[in-house]
Amino acid sequence: MEKSRRGVQLAFSLLFGLWLPCCLTQTTPSNAASATPTPSPSPQSLGERLKVRLTGYPRKHNEGRVELFYKGEWGTICDDDFSISNANVLCRQLGFVSATGWTHSAKYGKGQGKIWLDNVLCNGGEKSIEFCKSRGWGNSDCTHDEDAGVVCKDERIPGFVDSNVIDAHVDENKVEEVRLRPVVVTAKKKLPVTEGVVEVKFKEGWVQICDVGWTIKNTRVVCGMLGFPHERKVNKNFYKHLKKRAAEKVSRPKVNVSAGGRQTPKAKANSKSKQSSPGKRLYLERQKNHFHIHSVACTGTEIHLAACPLEFNKPNATSTCEGGMAAVVSCMPGPLFMQNSGMKKKLKTSSNVRLKGGARLGEGRVEVLKDNEWGTVCDDRWNLQSASVVCRELGFGSAKEALTGARMGQGMGPIYMNEVKCLGQEKSIWNCPFKNISSEDCQHVEDAAVRCNIPYMGLENTIRLTGGRTRYEGRLEVLGSDSNGTESWGLICGENWSTTEAMVACRQLGLGYANQGLQETWYWDGSNVTEMVMSGVKCTGSEMSLTQCQHHKTVNCQKAAAKFSAGVICSETASDLILDAPLVQQTVYIEDRPLHMLYCAAEEDCLSKSAAKANWPYGHRRLLRFSSQIHNIGRADFKPKAGRHSWVWHACHGHYHSMNIFTHYDLLNANGTKVAEGHKASFCLEDSDCQEGVSKRYECANFGDQGITVGCWDLYRHDIDCQWIDITDVKPGNYIMQIVINPDHEVAESDFTNNAMKCNCKYDGHRIWFHNCHVGDAFSEEAERRFEKYPGQLNNQIS
């Protein structure tokens, strides 16, 4: 009784709370231009945070027209009485530290719908614009020619995510969701679905679109939304025949043969009755199509059906489509999603555009190839049309999001493009108008990125996590089938399971990057699943699912208990280390160092094996020395996997080592054989220096915390111990110098392909030259092949 009485009181309170602001607004005179501004009644009656977004064009992620979401509708703010104090409040709500300015007179274009606030007066300290004085919600004497905008300082409040996204901002109330319903039975069993009836989500069900006036441009937009780069023509005669057959099937009554041999109409149609031969191939429509949309007029460049002009069925009209039928669409998938391997070879994706640093398929920093070297795109004027051109040329659909502000990490090479202005129909981003870059225009903190629409493959349904403390971690269970074809869940053997395999699992689950791959999971609660169904899993790291990785045909696991099954910890962000290749080339030299100065280095195992047989302390070792500067260009700090309790104190150099092996230094001959090597435990991981606006967080002194902050770098100078390769036993010749950071993938990164660096090296017995130093993925495949065949220099002139 007490519970239910409390419920009545709560309902009354909510009703009163919702009714009161409504009444207050209604009693405000609509023409009171000189009315004294009052605090805006909060739209968050139930404690929900007010939604604020930036939109308009042209703009960057930290600027734009201000829009507020109130009463289920987006609207704008009038620029009357607007001030920098207002802008500061709004920028903080958007996740930026402050505002640098504000704009008036619809600088970022005119908004649509309501003008929610007018004569806003903030003191600058409010937590939300709703707490500032104004004329009240929806009470304005402005037009959209007076829409206000803000420019925020491009520095994030710690903990905020995803604000620097330029998305569609289409009215998704018009079209919430779109799908293709396959008509051919065999198509239903295969994913992705590439052909079928277009259906849109409406209320509790799915409705169709009338195909009268339907064009290939409409098809292109639908295919792009569903993750397909190209559209195909549909055989309409096939579907008209199907429609006719379905109509006949519905109109003709079913009959039974009675015991006396008479045929009698069946009282109720049996949905499971045997179908005719064509019926086995087709889904026959037993009911009328429900047409919600009567005409669509896309230009073909839209990234969402809701952005196209649509004509909806009138509420009281009948759901008919005179002279037409349900719209049917056929799409061409990109090579990654094609069932037919022969077709994959015909449909090659672009070789001079790529995505880097993304956690999920179809997302990443946009990089373009010019003169055999990869570079990035600046985010000025970066929008969904340009992003969609990139997505389609890489074999995905249209762009879901255009991201700015190095949202997928920073590049390290050249920046080739700025102010890209694609129309949306171009075959490549290189066909779009753009400006060339000068060093003053852009920095890598402005690198553009994309998230593309990809086809639904259902891969996340064949894998799951159990026992973890959050949805981002747990023991892996995969769905398999036994000899009888029965599905049940099973475990993966943890032997040799590593971060690389965990990367694929996290991607398949849609949970971002792999933070860790675990070979034992005894500390997590187990489900009733105990059987190992997969072992010997070995991935390259680029696969879409674990089934695409190598694995044993029959399970072979030494430790078959559930506690030794594979597990993962996934994360939305990850670090990304990369070497400054030019610095290595600029700082290399040879030093003959007396043995009596190398006792400490010998203790650290930084000399070649022959040093043990030397006549200590007499003689010397020949050392190839250079500086290495390791940048963290990712989205999370690089921190050692081991906690400080397990760090090892090295009295020789007076600091703690936090990783066993942090870097490999190798000298290779022409056939790739190692002729000399060096290695570097992480003497200490710390921030030597940082880019402008980023503060150091890690320092080794006094048993401090170790790591490399995003936007900072750790510099190992050429003159410190072990920053070398011992080449005492190396003969003159041409070699390849190779440096690999985090070689065992001990710490998770968003991209391991940029962890290696190579240089051509010529050694004449007295002097050494480095040439063509570059990060492993910085050159085109053609340039990399030429690099491997590099014959060495004939003189000391570097061309």
Side-chain angles (χ1 to χ4, degrees), residues 113-320:
K114 297 286 179 65
I115 299 175
W116 281 128
L117 294 177
D118 188 8
N119 298 110
V120 180
L121 295 173
C122 303
N123 61 33
E126 293 88 351
K127 288 187 176 179
S128 171
I129 197 75
E130 65 199 272
F131 301 127
C132 300
K133 292 179 180 179
S134 77
R135 294 172 55 139
W137 289 95
N139 186 16
S140 167
D141 60 358
C142 300
T143 67
H144 282 296
D145 289 312
E146 300 167 86
D147 284 342
V150 295
V151 181
C152 303
K153 184 178 181 183
D154 194 6
E155 185 179 334
R156 311 290 301 128
I157 295 173
F160 261 82
V161 292
D162 277 3
S163 67
N164 47 348
V165 172
I166 298 174
D167 58 18
H169 287 181
V170 293
D171 182 3
E172 293 194 359
N173 291 326
K174 294 200 298 186
V175 177
E176 182 184 346
E177 197 177 334
V178 179
R179 75 177 184 184
L180 291 186
R181 178 170 52 79
V183 176
V184 181
V185 171
T186 52
K188 188 180 181 185
K189 296 177 181 177
K190 291 181 180 177
L191 289 175
V193 175
T194 58
E195 182 171 310
V197 175
V198 183
E199 296 190 327
V200 297
K201 193 81 175 285
F202 181 65
K203 295 181 179 176
E204 297 302 314
W206 292 88
V207 291
Q208 288 80 41
I209 302 173
C210 180
D211 76 341
V212 174
W214 185 268
T215 69
I216 198 73
K217 293 177 180 177
N218 300 340
T219 299
R220 176 178 171 83
V221 173
V222 171
C223 289
M225 283 180 69
L226 297 172
F228 303 113
H230 307 292
E231 62 283 357
R232 291 186 285 209
K233 285 188 177 179
V234 172
N235 180 359
K236 289 190 74 171
N237 291 330
F238 170 80
Y239 288 93
K240 283 178 182 174
H241 174 70
L242 170 61
K243 180 185 176 186
K244 184 180 176 184
R245 290 294 305 267
E248 290 172 356
K249 196 91 173 173
V250 171
S251 62
R252 191 167 59 241
K254 289 190 178 290
V255 294
N256 275 342
V257 179
S258 66
R262 280 187 309 113
Q263 289 187 334
T264 57
K266 205 173 180 186
K268 194 173 183 180
N270 179 6
S271 63
K272 293 185 180 178
S273 62
K274 289 186 179 178
Q275 298 175 350
S276 60
S277 180
K280 289 178 182 178
R281 296 188 298 110
L282 307 171
Y283 298 124
L284 295 179
E285 294 296 303
R286 298 298 180 91
Q287 74 285 332
K288 282 186 178 180
N289 286 320
H290 295 286
F291 295 103
H292 178 54
I293 300 174
H294 271 265
S295 85
V296 180
C298 301
T299 64
T301 61
E302 296 88 349
I303 45 73
H304 197 289
L305 196 63
C308 302
L310 304 175
E311 184 183 318
F312 288 87
N313 199 13
K314 292 177 182 177
N316 299 324
T318 55
S319 298
T320 58

Side-chain angles (χ1 to χ4, degrees), residues 526-742:
S527 64
N528 57 358
V529 176
T530 56
E531 186 184 357
M532 295 281 180
V533 296
M534 190 181 280
S535 64
V537 181
K538 188 172 180 60
C539 306
T540 63
S542 60
E543 296 87 350
M544 284 194 283
S545 71
L546 289 173
T547 52
Q548 294 177 353
C549 301
Q550 294 180 17
H551 55 88
H552 295 154
K553 287 185 177 178
T554 55
V555 177
N556 179 13
C557 189
Q558 299 297 316
K559 297 178 179 178
K563 63 182 180 181
F564 297 115
S565 62
V568 295
I569 300 176
C570 305
S571 172
E572 282 294 329
T573 57
S575 61
D576 187 15
L577 298 189
I578 189 168
L579 268 162
D580 185 342
L583 184 67
V584 174
Q585 187 165 315
Q586 292 160 16
T587 56
V588 66
Y589 64 97
I590 287 174
E591 180 195 13
D592 290 333
R593 194 164 182 81
L595 279 171
H596 69 82
M597 299 176 69
L598 290 170
Y599 280 104
C600 191
E603 186 182 310
E604 298 275 7
D605 196 25
C606 295
L607 302 174
S608 60
K609 292 177 182 176
S610 64
K613 300 173 185 175
N615 185 24
W616 291 76
Y618 309 105
H620 68 271
R621 304 299 293 180
R622 176 157 286 186
L623 306 175
L624 173 62
R625 309 198 72 150
F626 50 89
S627 296
S628 58
Q629 190 168 288
I630 297 131
H631 292 245
N632 182 0
I633 61 171
R635 292 172 52 214
D637 293 354
F638 183 94
K639 299 190 71 173
K641 187 175 176 180
R644 62 171 62 212
H645 62 278
S646 61
W647 296 353
V648 179
W649 172 256
H650 280 246
C652 187
H653 290 122
H655 52 232
Y656 286 90
H657 286 197
S658 56
M659 293 175 68
N660 290 332
I661 298 291
F662 178 55
T663 317
H664 279 165
Y665 304 143
D666 298 319
L667 204 61
L668 314 174
N669 64 16
N671 63 15
T673 304
K674 197 183 295 183
V675 295
E677 65 179 359
H679 76 271
K680 191 168 195 57
S682 60
F683 273 9
C684 65
L685 286 167
E686 65 179 356
D687 296 325
S688 302
D689 209 348
C690 302
Q691 64 192 35
E692 188 179 350
V694 180
S695 302
K696 297 180 184 179
R697 297 180 59 188
Y698 301 100
E699 189 174 16
C700 297
N702 303 315
F703 198 25
D705 207 7
Q706 293 197 22
I708 307 176
T709 305
V710 175
C712 299
W713 53 88
D714 191 359
L715 173 64
Y716 291 93
R717 284 174 52 90
H718 58 84
D719 54 0
I720 65 171
D721 267 2
C722 296
Q723 187 58 34
W724 63 55
I725 298 178
D726 183 347
I727 60 168
T728 307
D729 307 316
V730 174
K731 296 175 181 177
N734 298 319
Y735 300 97
I736 292 174
M737 160 73 165
Q738 179 175 278
I739 301 176
V740 184
I741 320 165
N742 193 16

